[in-house]
Amino acid sequence: MNPKRLGGDMTYFEFDMAKILHEPMKRDEDGQLPAAQEQRLGKLHAETLAALQIYLQKAAVAPGDYPTIEVEPGPGAGRGPG
């Protein structure tokens, strides 16, 4: 897991988050998201890191079978090491 890119491979993580959250990505003439959306997603990104740290320190995951969720492969999926 890359803490700088929790949601994907874009260099503008707010776009990754908007895509994951199924939010519209209406860009302005400079290609940026609206300021309010960018600020909200930035705050959510920071809160997600803290929540992940707490979860990894405190969670107990029991052995067993868990349901899987179908996801769309991202860039580089299926490539081996090297």
Side-chain angles (χ1 to χ4, degrees):
M1 174 177 235
N2 185 336
K4 291 183 180 179
R5 295 185 180 167
L6 294 174
D9 294 326
M10 293 182 191
T11 56
Y12 187 15
F13 72 84
E14 292 87 351
F15 284 145
D16 290 320
M17 293 180 70
K19 182 178 179 183
I20 291 167
L21 297 170
H22 303 286
E23 291 188 6
M25 289 191 286
K26 295 182 181 176
R27 300 179 191 197
D28 63 16
E29 59 277 351
D30 295 324
Q32 306 295 311
L33 293 173
Q37 183 180 23
E38 185 175 323
Q39 289 171 357
R40 186 180 52 75
L41 291 170
K43 183 175 185 262
L44 180 60
H45 176 74
E47 292 168 350
T48 300
L49 179 57
L52 176 62
Q53 289 172 337
I54 292 167
Y55 177 80
L56 293 174
Q57 290 174 3
K58 304 293 182 181
V61 180
D65 293 327
Y66 292 90
T68 58
I69 300 171
E70 293 294 323
V71 296
E72 183 178 316
R79 291 192 304 201

